Amino acid sequence: MAELLETRGLRLVEVAPPVVPAGTRTAMNREWDRAVLANPALFDGPVVVCAGLSRETPDTLLVSWSRVTYRYFALRRVPGATALRSLFVSVVQPTQDGRVLVGCMSSSTATPGRWQFPGGSVEPPTGDAPLDEDVLRRHAAVELAEETGVDPPAADLTRCLITHGEDGQVGVHYLAPPLPAHRLHERFAALVAAETARGHAPEFDRIALVGAPADLPDLAGPHVAYLEPVVRWTNRRVGS
């Protein structure tokens, strides 16, 4: 499960990356190499991890973050190692009748078959640029476009929730303007056709529109931990 947090302010502060002992690092690299052999599409690019979450004021959450690369997530497979926690964004894309779009990750991704909202891990800014809410919102808009073909301006996304999972992962969730259901299906079909023509596998192999938590058991396969509570929240706030 995941704790749902609503807050007016969100502040992000960079801290030093975690120190991984030599022996643990060797085991981490070994697990990463195994993962790449199983899925050559994996890429060891830069990524943000969450170092901490606290309430700075009654109306502001403070997220501390560090720069690492994706191979550090292989620590989750190393016995006795301290796994790093993701900082990710997602987009709740509603229909005009109050349902929301969810997608099933394709076999080319690190989590094939998993149902989730459009979104993904946050990449660190380059140089001295700050990681702030404008960056998170733009990243969320990019993820929505890349995974579903729906491409609203980033300014149209409104932060609605922050989730804090039992595993410490922190998600920043944005609400997109509602669209007709048929348009969401059309945009996704066009995206899949374009990616297939380029010889690329889309990140979602299919999408579904759900109106309430009762619809989730119909989605065969694993679900991200935050899916049910966020669907429940959106059903109360944007459902018909």
Side-chain angles (χ1 to χ4, degrees):
M1 294 295 291
E3 179 184 11
L4 303 187
L5 303 171
E6 297 182 59
T7 184
R8 182 173 301 173
L10 177 65
R11 195 163 75 92
L12 298 109
V13 176
E14 184 174 7
V15 298
V19 176
V20 179
T24 303
R25 182 181 294 274
T26 298
M28 175 190 77
N29 290 334
R30 183 168 58 247
E31 291 297 332
W32 173 257
D33 291 342
R34 288 174 179 170
V36 172
L37 282 175
N39 184 357
L42 295 179
F43 171 65
D44 190 26
V47 68
V48 165
V49 292
C50 178
L53 175 69
S54 61
R55 193 167 285 280
E56 189 172 41
T57 72
D59 292 330
T60 303
L61 285 174
L62 173 65
V63 176
S64 54
W65 63 276
S66 302
R67 302 168 189 257
V68 295
T69 65
Y70 277 95
R71 74 172 53 238
Y72 280 74
F73 289 141
L75 287 170
R76 297 168 182 170
R77 302 181 183 180
V78 177
T82 300
L84 303 188
R85 301 172 292 178
S86 296
L87 175 64
F88 66 92
V89 293
S90 83
V91 180
V92 178
Q93 173 62 69
T95 62
Q96 292 178 327
D97 61 7
R99 292 176 291 167
V100 293
L101 183 152
V102 296
C104 183
M105 300 298 284
S106 71
S107 59
S108 65
T109 67
T111 54
R114 189 180 74 180
W115 287 92
Q116 63 179 60
F117 287 107
S121 298
V122 175
E123 297 179 1
T126 58
D128 295 328
L131 178 62
D132 56 21
E133 185 132 25
D134 287 341
V135 174
L136 295 185
R137 186 179 289 106
R138 290 195 298 269
H139 185 58
V142 169
E143 292 283 352
L144 179 65
E146 290 180 347
E147 294 180 349
T148 71
V150 179
D151 58 348
D156 288 354
L157 302 183
T158 303
R159 175 165 49 80
C160 57
L161 280 175
I162 294 173
T163 56
H164 187 209
E166 293 178 350
D167 56 3
Q169 297 189 44
V170 171
V172 183
H173 306 268
Y174 291 90
L175 183 65
L179 290 172
H182 70 85
R183 187 174 301 174
L184 297 180
H185 286 294
E186 290 170 356
R187 294 281 179 86
F188 181 67
L191 172 71
V192 171
E195 290 293 286
T196 302
R198 295 170 56 201
H200 296 165
E203 293 189 58
F204 285 159
D205 62 13
R206 60 192 184 279
I207 61 171
L209 302 176
V210 298
D215 298 334
L216 295 178
D218 294 333
L219 305 179
H223 301 173
V224 289
Y226 65 83
L227 187 62
E228 191 276 340
V230 174
V231 167
R232 187 177 301 279
W233 183 91
T234 56
N235 180 242
R236 294 196 304 266
R237 298 300 179 92
V238 303
S240 56

